[in-house]
Amino acid sequence: MSLSLNQWTTRRWSVAEAVDGCVRHGLQAVGLWRQNVAEQGLAESVKLVREAGLRVSSLCRGGFLTTGSAESLDDNRRAVDEAAELEAACLVLVVGGLPGVTPGEPLGSFSRDLGGARERVAESLAVLAPYAGERGVKLAIEPLHPMYCADRAVVSTLGQALDIAERLPAEQVGVVVDTFHVWWDPQVFEQIARAGERVFSYQVCDYLHPLPADVLLGRGMMGDGVIDFAPITRAVLAAGYAGDVEVEIFNADVWAADPDEVVATMKERYASVCGF
């Protein structure tokens, strides 16, 4: 496995700047975000990545499937097409929260039917998976920490993600193992082993304590929080994963820092903390 910079870690960098940064720091892969690709232009992003000789370890993100709407499915088809053009290793799916609950906004009219929301995720994936398969794109369900269940992801554990993924072909639908989201799960090692070839992405960052007021920004540089990375890394390796390891950090202080210093620290912590 080799180290990949998820673009959100150096949020100020455009696609062009992130690609250049990866090359300067000797990285072989980059994880891209759809809005940044749109700003750079899809064709230009493809050109930049290929001319730099980089892999795209993931494209973030598709998902938000809990409404089952035609608009959601259409947007995810576009995301699949973008991932195919970029030859991304997978399209990361954040599946969405309870229908009607919007991140950062007061509650209005919404559904409390958690089970129904999860079933709509499965139904939507049954539609999207063949489309992705025809284009050679792997769909990677990312379970999010339970504190995000209401507004971002009704899938909270690897077990829940695999219950959905296993309804569909292994070459089409798998999971993301993100240390921030799964470190707490008492079944994490059992579920990583269960996932096997369905581990499509391994993302690392630390879980800070105390969390900031905006818990979305509670991700830290590896070694700055409470996660024991080495056992998780060993489990992912034992499951057969041989892809890139993305560092994906949402943190106001990290975003405010010099991106080159962030990448240098990221490389040092990857070597000293992550269990390789």
Side-chain angles (χ1 to χ4, degrees), residues 71-198:
E71 291 81 5
S72 171
L73 290 171
D74 286 344
D75 183 64
N76 278 277
R77 291 187 185 97
R78 288 191 292 271
V80 167
D81 293 341
E82 293 160 16
E85 286 293 319
L86 290 161
E87 298 181 357
C90 65
L91 173 64
V92 173
L93 302 179
V94 175
V95 300
L98 293 171
V101 178
T102 303
E105 295 186 8
L107 290 176
S109 176
F110 70 98
S111 169
R112 290 186 170 89
D113 184 3
L114 181 56
R118 288 176 178 147
E119 187 57 32
R120 279 189 290 277
V121 172
E123 292 168 355
S124 295
L125 281 172
V127 175
L128 291 170
Y131 185 87
E134 290 170 0
R135 288 151 182 80
V137 173
K138 294 183 175 183
L139 303 177
I141 304 169
E142 181 171 16
L144 268 56
H145 191 282
M147 63 186 168
Y148 303 117
C149 185
D151 62 351
R152 295 182 186 276
V154 296
V155 172
S156 303
T157 67
L158 281 171
Q160 290 172 337
L162 288 167
D163 287 344
I164 294 172
E166 287 172 350
R167 303 186 191 186
L168 298 160
E171 66 273 15
Q172 294 177 4
V173 183
V175 298
V176 180
V177 177
D178 184 319
T179 55
F180 178 85
H181 293 302
V182 305
W183 72 274
W184 60 274
D185 185 352
Q187 293 189 336
V188 64
F189 301 113
E190 174 186 337
Q191 296 302 327
I192 291 172
R194 172 189 171 191
E197 64 180 333
R198 290 186 191 264

Side-chain angles (χ1 to χ4, degrees), residues 246-267:
E246 279 189 14
V247 176
E248 183 187 54
I249 299 174
F250 291 49
N251 182 288
D253 292 335
V254 172
W255 291 342
D258 181 335
D260 282 294
E261 293 181 3
V262 170
V263 177
T265 302
M266 180 183 92
K267 290 173 63 180

Side-chain angles (χ1 to χ4, degrees), residues 19 35 40 46 59 63 101 103 109 151 165 184-185 204 218 241 267:
V19 167
Q35 56 265 54
Q40 189 76 54
V46 170
L59 179 65
V101 178
S109 176
D151 62 351
W184 60 274
D185 185 352
V204 296
Y241 182 72
K267 290 173 63 180

Side-chain angles (χ1 to χ4, degrees), residues 13-42:
W13 274 353
S14 65
V15 170
E17 291 168 327
V19 167
D20 179 66
C22 286
V23 172
R24 285 188 288 104
H25 287 275
L27 303 182
Q28 299 176 24
V30 63
L32 298 177
W33 279 69
R34 292 182 67 200
Q35 56 265 54
N36 299 86
V37 169
E39 290 172 3
Q40 189 76 54
L42 178 58

